[in-house]
Amino acid sequence: MNDTIAAISTPFGEGAIAVLRLSGERALEIAGEVFRGKRTVTELVPRVQHFGAVMEGGRKLDDVLLTVFRAPYSYTGEDVVEIGCHGGVLVTRRILEALLQNGARSAEPGEFTQRAYLHHKMDLTQAEAVMDLIGAQTDLALRAASEQLEGRLGERIRGLRETFIELLAHVEAYIDFPDEDIDPATGEALLAKLAAARAEIDALLATADRGRVLREGVRTVIYGAPNVGKSSLLNLLLGHERAIVSARPGTTRDVIEETINLRGLPIRLIDTAGVRESDDEVEREGMKRTRRELERADLALHVFDASLPPLDQAAVQALESFQMGGTALAVLNKTDLGEHPEWRTVEGVRLSCLKGEGIEALAEAIVARATGGTAAHRDWSLAINARHADCLRRAHGFAEAGRGALIGGLSPEFVAEELRGALDAVGEVVGKADSEEILGKIFSTFCIGK
């Protein structure tokens, strides 16, 4: 925390501009060693861009725009300097080297945001939202990350934490006066407040699946017999030719994965090899990969050729033996060739990849399956992640144990112990229970410069 850190904050590669960031006690001093403008860096008006040049010895590296953010009114809560230069790989790296040579240290991944957290500029939920915002692939994911960054989840967690503090305070009051038993009226009031806390935890845990969907996407496997139109379906959903389409069976032998934005949801489409009996070693390996993908799927699109009788589909029996981790949706393709009568009683989405007919119905069906049939998925502005869910599940367990101790008439010490466990678990969500292991795990996933 005593070091002044520096990093390139924009992605690696060529671009119109690049931004470098300095943060720490010596940020202004180090920037002053390399910046030449009408005024010295310490004299510059904060939060205003100032034109000048970055020098290396007596040689100019680049014309730049430099902005000063004085502590505590900065992203990290420390003195921060941002330098905007031309976006060449070499010039950006040379400016960074000049900063490092004058006393800065290379920032670790996520170190700027970690310092923002440690200086109480944000809680852990907001810090995690920074990476969610950067990685958002759809408007829904972007909105959820923005809501979390603004502190909506943190506010709910702090309210929950305050409830456990109040409960613990009541119980500890009885511990301080051991001759006083918890009277029935007070016990009922404590149980009611504990029930409300558990209900809030349940409501937050209910958003865990949507959080995973928004952050990771819906893992959607396209599978079926050879030549039923799996690759054509992938291309149709993507809107461009991604997979090779051929009338010859067995064209797709490996897994092809692409992500699309479907009604605001990130859908990870996975095209797989057709399943059939084959002596071809490469094709058999492709079918093994199909099985593995099905086991990991959130949703499986089982594609059939609707123009042929079901019993003529060579892969039907083999597919029935697959163990799928998700929900299967029947997709009856090639309806432009006419639908065989035996398919008319089968539930599923009917389409023609050749003519593009039925694609809207399929999109609606995918979204409905992915969201559990709820029409309110556009209100997914609150979505916890796996770490939050783990903390809240532990809190729920402690709260349930505290309820049992209270109902069972155990001494207040037992009740208090469970409430402290719940309080600590809830506090971990926003960072009230600091742990180097927790912080290291969270911020190690960040990109350098953020």
Side-chain angles (χ1 to χ4, degrees):
M1 288 291 289
N2 293 326
D3 293 341
T4 295
I5 56 175
I8 301 167
S9 290
T10 42
F12 179 81
E14 294 183 357
I17 60 171
V19 176
L20 297 94
R21 179 183 281 168
L22 275 166
S23 181
E25 293 180 359
R26 297 186 58 216
L28 274 65
E29 175 190 342
I30 292 171
E33 293 293 328
V34 301
F35 180 76
R36 297 293 179 269
K38 292 183 178 179
R39 299 179 181 177
T40 64
V41 172
T42 55
E43 296 173 332
L44 297 179
V45 177
R47 298 183 297 280
V48 174
Q49 289 188 319
H50 301 272
F51 179 76
V54 169
M55 307 296 292
E56 183 181 52
R59 186 169 65 89
K60 182 171 75 172
L61 288 177
D62 195 14
D63 291 320
V64 301
L65 291 172
L66 184 143
T67 311
V68 171
F69 301 88
R70 292 276 192 172
Y73 306 109
S74 70
Y75 179 73
T76 63
E78 304 173 325
D79 283 343
V80 171
V81 175
E82 291 187 352
I83 300 173
C85 64
H86 290 96
V89 174
L90 180 59
V91 66
T92 308
R93 189 176 67 207
R94 292 291 294 274
I95 293 174
L96 177 61
E97 289 172 355
L99 298 173
L100 300 179
Q101 288 170 4
N102 280 280
R105 171 176 64 78
S106 288
E108 298 293 332
E111 192 168 1
F112 289 97
T113 304
Q114 184 173 4
R115 291 191 176 197
Y117 163 72
L118 293 173
H119 285 108
H120 309 293
K121 302 293 289 186
M122 59 179 66
D123 64 32
L124 275 187
T125 65
Q126 291 171 298
E128 290 167 309
V130 172
M131 278 308 294
D132 288 343
L133 196 71
I134 293 171
Q137 300 180 62
T138 67
D139 288 341
L140 269 179
L142 182 63
R143 191 193 316 167
S146 297
E147 293 273 359
Q148 187 169 314
L149 186 58
E150 289 175 5
R152 182 177 176 188
L153 175 59
E155 184 179 343
R156 294 273 294 268
I157 294 297
R158 282 187 288 275
L160 187 58
R161 186 170 179 272
E162 188 62 32
T163 298
F164 280 115
I165 290 174
E166 292 174 4
L167 283 165
L168 187 58
H170 278 292
V171 174
E172 289 186 337
Y174 283 93
I175 295 174
D176 292 336
F177 301 97
D179 294 334
E180 298 285 339
D181 291 328
I182 299 178
D183 62 78
T186 301
E188 288 298 321
L190 291 176
L191 283 172
K193 187 170 285 189
L194 192 54
R198 289 164 56 233
E200 174 69 349
I201 292 174
D202 287 337
L204 290 170
L205 284 172
T207 72
D209 282 342
R210 72 178 66 162
R212 183 184 61 81
V213 165
L214 293 178
R215 293 178 180 93
E216 301 175 15
V218 181
R219 196 171 184 85
T220 304
V221 175
I222 304 172
Y223 76 105
N227 217 27
V228 294
K230 298 184 301 299
S231 296
S232 296
L233 178 58
L234 173 70
N235 292 339
L236 183 61
L237 288 168
L238 289 176
H240 64 269
E241 298 293 319
R242 171 63 178 86
I244 297 173
V245 175
S246 171
R248 183 170 63 86
T251 304
T252 302
R253 299 193 173 195
D254 203 352
V255 172
I256 298 174
E257 182 172 339
E258 292 285 346
T259 300
I260 62 170
N261 180 345
L262 203 60
R263 308 292 193 270
L265 293 176
I267 306 294
R268 295 170 61 186
L269 295 171
I270 301 164
D271 185 22
T272 59
V275 179
R276 63 173 179 173
E277 295 296 327
S278 175
D279 295 327
D280 188 300
E281 184 177 350
V282 176
E283 193 172 356
R284 287 203 306 271
E285 176 59 31
M287 287 185 277
K288 286 182 182 178
R289 297 187 182 188
T290 298
R291 291 181 176 89
R292 286 199 297 267
E293 291 298 336
L294 283 169
E295 290 169 0
R296 301 162 57 196
D298 297 312
L299 176 64
L301 302 182
H302 191 164
V303 185
F304 295 96
D305 184 343
S307 68
L308 300 176
L311 293 179
D312 289 345
Q313 305 293 315
V316 170
Q317 290 182 346
L319 290 170
E320 287 176 350
S321 66
F322 285 3
Q323 294 182 351
M324 297 181 300
T327 303
L329 175 65
V331 180
L332 309 181
N333 187 30
K334 302 190 181 182
T335 55
D336 55 290
L337 299 178
E339 184 175 329
H340 192 278
E342 293 186 41
W343 286 109
R344 289 173 185 170
T345 59
V346 176
E347 284 190 26
V349 178
R350 287 151 172 82
L351 58 80
S352 166
C353 289
L354 180 64
K355 296 188 175 181
E357 297 171 351
I359 192 64
E360 287 300 316
L362 177 60
E364 292 296 337
I366 291 173
V367 170
R369 293 294 180 96
T371 60
T374 174
H377 73 276
R378 293 192 179 277
D379 296 327
W380 286 12
S381 54
L382 187 66
I384 65 173
N385 63 27
R387 186 186 72 83
H388 305 153
D390 176 65
C391 295
L392 290 171
R393 288 190 190 102
R394 286 188 283 114
H396 193 280
F398 282 118
E400 184 63 29
R403 175 180 176 274
L406 198 57
I407 292 175
L410 299 182
S411 66
E413 286 84 358
F414 288 101
V415 179
E417 184 65 22
E418 302 299 344
L419 292 177
R420 285 192 197 96
L423 179 61
D424 289 343
V426 168
E428 285 183 31
V429 177
V430 289
K432 293 297 183 182
D434 290 345
S435 163
E436 286 190 14
E437 183 179 357
I438 293 173
L439 296 183
K441 185 175 181 180
I442 292 172
F443 292 107
S444 65
T445 63
F446 279 56
C447 50
I448 293 176
K450 195 60 184 175

